[in-house]
């Protein structure tokens, strides 16, 4: 129950921040354009809290915390006192109305820049993208990539960490054509360039495996079967295994790597095994029977309920980045621009069918990710907040009536032709736009529930 309340609290707080920033953008520019703002509301429905300022603007926190709005004086929504008609939104020049509409999404982009700036000021760290293995016949092998090489750039964009590699690859999902790699060997400054060929790469995959799709695995120090944890009530605990045990062999077969142990256990559901191990320097032997577990694909595998001690990455592969305030600001703007481009590109590819629409997420997935990132620490949460803010800004700029982008479309037409789009046409557009947005929300919610099942 506490976890559910925590998840709800984090989600509502996240949405409140994003909505408040977005609506404040509209509000701030409207005030500077001489437009009277009647209400600034976070949430919809009955106000739980309200107050007014010296300019008679009402501020409200409403009962339904799923959005917000800024209500401006407008003759299209009711009678306006002749003395205040010059303060009405509809009386302002079209460029002023465009500025008010665009200000909301821009505020979200500014929030992302500030968030990334804070992260960059605090410092970044990661591990160098050193190749561990290359699959035969894969894109990576065709490109001439080899184990031990470090990927320093993809398509001319620097990749100092594995996270950077993943981001560059995300942007290539569904693509056909050349992908360029720049690599170097250990302790060498010589850069080698090569390229592979993509053909609708990972198009339509619901859970694309970026590195696997290239035929790459990242370098990891050998993982030996040294137990980090034993799950309470599991077959391993009942058999007597303990954290710190080092698995030596099973049924006389040497277990040199953790992968050897995992494969052996998975292949023997319900079969008793003789396990030889070392505990605090003392050799021991016990009998362990994996329980049968059915995977989502219907395969029956063995499971014993243990976790492994992960080895430390070599310090030579650790990468740390420290930036001053101005450099961090530039990096924050660049990262935000990259995220805007990535979001737009992903939307286009989804429409083209190159990215599975099942990747579209709704409020349940957002809640889960927000909660997980918050539990992972402030850095993870701020990064997620920046990403979500960019997504909200881009989504609102789509040329769909009822969204900011729809208003922008109408005002742009007015700017070109010299007169407003007929109200009847606007109303039909709003109805179609509302249907599109509701349908999109329902589909995203369906995807959320599908992931839970």
């Amino acid at each position: 129950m506490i976890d559910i309340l925590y998840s709800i609290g984090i989600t509502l707080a996240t949405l409140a921040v994003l909505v408040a920033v977005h609506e404040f953008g509209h509000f701030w520019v409207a005030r500077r354009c001489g437009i009277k703002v009647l209400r600034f509301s976070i949430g919809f429905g009955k106000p739980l809290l309200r107050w007014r300022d010296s300019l008679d603007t009402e501020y409200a926190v409403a009962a339904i915390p799923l959005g917000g709005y800024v209500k401006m004086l407008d003759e299209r929504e009711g009678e306006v006192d002749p003395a205040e008609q010059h303060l009405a939104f509809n009386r302002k020049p079209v460029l002023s109305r465009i500025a008010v509409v665009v200000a909301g999404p821009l505020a979200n982009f500014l929030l992302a820049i500030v968030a990334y700036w804070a992260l960059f000021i605090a410092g970044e760290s990661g591990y160098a993208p050193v190749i561990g293995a290359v699959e035969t016949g894969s894109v990576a092998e065709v490109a001439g990539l080899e184990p031990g090489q470090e990927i320093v750039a993809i398509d001319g964009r620097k990749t100092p960490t594995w996270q950077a590699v993943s981001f560059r690859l995300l942007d290539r999902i569904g693509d056909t054509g050349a992908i360029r790699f720049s690599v170097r060997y250990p302790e060498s400054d010589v850069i080698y360039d090569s390229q592979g060929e993509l053909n609708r790469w990972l198009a339509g995959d619901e859970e694309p495996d970026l590195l696997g799709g290239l035929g790459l695995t990242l370098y990891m120090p050998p993982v030996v079967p040294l137990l980090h944890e034993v799950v309470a009530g599991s077959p391993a605990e009942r058999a007597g295994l303990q954290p710190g045990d080092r698995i030596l062999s099973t049924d006389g077969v040497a277990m040199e790597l953790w992968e050897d142990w995992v494969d052996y256990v998975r292949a023997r559901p319900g079969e008793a095994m003789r396990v030889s191990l070392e505990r605090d320097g003392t050799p021991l032997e016990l009998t362990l029977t994996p329980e049968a577990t059915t995977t989502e694909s219907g395969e029956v595998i063995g499971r014993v309920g243990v976790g492994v001690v992960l080895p430390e990455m070599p310090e030579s592969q650790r990468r740390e980045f420290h930036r001053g305030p101005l450099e961090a600001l530039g990096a924050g703007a660049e990262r935000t621009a990259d995220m805007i481009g990535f979001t737009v590109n992903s939307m286009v590819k989804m429409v083209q069918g190159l990215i599975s629409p099942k990747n579209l997420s709704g409020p349940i997935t957002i809640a889960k990710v927000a909660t997980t990132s918050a539990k992972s620490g402030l850095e993870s949460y701020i990064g997620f907040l920046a990403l979500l803010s960019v997504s909200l800004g881009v989504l609102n700029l789509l040329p769909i009536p009822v969204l900011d982008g729809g208003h922008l479309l109408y005002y742009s037409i007015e700017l070109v032709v010299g007169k407003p789009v007929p109200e009847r046409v606007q109303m039909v557009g709003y109805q179609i736009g509302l249907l599109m947005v509701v349908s999109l929300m329902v589909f995203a919610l369906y995807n959320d529930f599908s992931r839970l099942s």
Side-chain angles (χ1 to χ4, degrees):
M1 184 62 180
I2 294 178
D3 285 344
I4 294 177
L5 292 176
Y6 178 80
S7 181
I8 292 174
I10 288 293
T11 305
L12 293 182
T14 302
L15 292 176
V17 169
L18 295 176
V19 169
V21 168
H22 181 93
E23 298 304 332
F24 182 77
H26 293 309
F27 168 83
W28 190 85
V29 173
R31 279 271 181 96
R32 269 124 196 95
C33 289
I35 300 168
K36 183 175 182 178
V37 179
L38 302 177
R39 176 180 292 174
F40 183 116
S41 178
I42 302 301
F44 300 101
K46 183 178 180 180
L48 302 176
L49 181 67
R50 66 171 80 185
W51 67 95
R52 289 184 178 274
D53 66 9
S54 59
L55 297 178
D56 202 31
T57 296
E58 180 185 74
Y59 300 85
V61 178
I64 306 174
L66 297 177
Y69 62 93
V70 171
K71 181 177 175 61
M72 290 169 270
L73 190 68
D74 195 317
E75 291 177 299
R76 296 169 300 179
E77 298 181 5
E79 189 174 343
V80 174
D81 188 326
E84 291 190 326
Q85 287 180 350
H86 68 289
L87 301 176
F89 177 81
N90 64 292
R91 291 288 185 114
K92 295 300 177 179
V94 65
L95 287 178
S96 295
R97 283 177 276 144
I98 287 176
V100 172
V101 167
V102 171
L106 286 183
N108 284 122
F109 298 150
L110 286 175
L111 173 61
I113 291 174
V114 171
Y116 286 129
W117 173 82
L119 292 178
F120 294 151
I121 281 288
E124 281 187 296
S125 63
Y127 289 98
V130 176
I131 300 171
V134 176
E135 183 180 337
T136 302
S138 65
V139 173
E141 187 190 50
V142 172
L145 302 187
E146 301 175 4
Q149 290 178 329
E150 178 182 344
I151 303 173
V152 297
I154 294 178
D155 294 326
R157 304 295 299 274
K158 292 182 179 180
T159 54
T161 64
W162 276 115
Q163 294 93 325
V165 167
S166 296
F167 183 75
R168 296 303 165 207
L169 294 180
L170 274 172
D171 210 31
R172 297 303 308 267
I173 291 178
D175 284 356
T176 296
I179 179 170
R180 295 180 291 113
F181 300 95
S182 297
V183 300
R184 68 182 174 198
Y185 289 95
E187 301 179 0
S188 173
D189 292 328
V190 179
I191 305 299
Y192 298 88
D193 295 319
S194 63
Q195 71 177 39
E197 291 294 325
L198 304 179
N199 183 18
R200 291 177 56 86
W201 187 62
L202 301 178
D205 284 17
E206 294 180 21
E207 297 181 5
D209 178 1
L210 301 174
L211 295 177
L214 285 181
L216 287 178
T217 57
L218 58 83
Y219 169 78
M220 284 286 292
V223 182
V224 299
L226 177 64
L227 303 188
H228 169 66
E229 64 175 337
V230 177
V231 178
S234 66
E237 185 188 55
R238 292 194 297 269
L241 285 172
Q242 298 178 11
D245 288 349
R246 166 66 160 91
I247 308 297
L248 300 176
S249 66
T250 306
D251 295 332
V253 179
M255 298 287 125
E256 297 181 0
L257 299 175
W258 173 251
E259 184 180 354
D260 299 332
W261 162 258
V262 170
D263 291 343
Y264 199 89
V265 170
R266 286 172 61 93
R268 288 162 178 79
E271 298 181 19
M273 307 184 306
R274 291 183 298 104
V275 180
S276 298
L277 57 93
E278 183 179 79
R279 179 181 300 165
D280 298 328
T282 303
L284 297 173
E285 188 170 294
L286 50 80
T287 300
L288 171 63
T289 302
E291 65 182 6
T293 301
T294 303
T295 65
E296 293 183 359
S297 62
E299 181 187 5
V300 179
I301 62 172
R303 175 184 172 277
V304 296
V306 295
V308 68
V309 174
L310 294 176
E312 293 288 335
M313 290 288 288
E315 194 61 29
S316 61
Q317 293 185 18
R318 185 173 179 82
R319 300 288 185 266
E320 294 189 355
F321 309 93
H322 299 282
R323 300 176 174 91
L326 289 179
E327 186 183 2
L329 183 61
E334 183 180 359
R335 179 68 60 86
T336 301
D338 284 344
M339 294 307 305
I340 292 172
F342 169 72
T343 304
V344 172
N345 191 32
S346 297
M347 288 181 175
V348 171
K349 288 182 178 179
M350 195 171 291
V351 172
Q352 294 174 332
L354 298 176
I355 293 181
S356 172
K358 291 191 176 182
N359 287 291
L360 188 66
S361 298
I364 295 177
T365 299
I366 291 173
K368 289 173 64 178
V369 177
T371 303
T372 301
S373 61
K375 288 181 177 179
S376 298
L378 184 61
E379 182 179 339
S380 295
Y381 179 73
I382 291 177
F384 172 71
L385 185 68
L387 174 61
L388 202 58
S389 191
V390 168
S391 299
L392 179 62
V394 172
L395 181 64
N396 268 280
L397 284 175
L398 293 178
I400 299 175
V402 311
L403 297 179
D404 292 333
H407 295 290
L408 180 60
L409 175 63
Y410 287 149
Y411 299 147
S412 297
I413 293 174
E414 180 180 346
L415 185 65
V416 172
V417 302
K419 60 181 181 179
V421 175
E423 287 194 19
R424 181 181 177 185
V425 175
Q426 291 189 42
M427 288 305 301
V428 172
Y430 289 143
Q431 293 171 350
I432 296 173
L434 182 61
L435 178 62
M436 292 174 64
V437 171
V438 170
S439 300
L440 195 65
M441 291 176 63
V442 169
F443 183 69
L445 198 58
Y446 170 78
N447 284 346
D448 285 351
F449 282 113
S450 297
R451 294 186 186 103
L452 294 176
S453 60

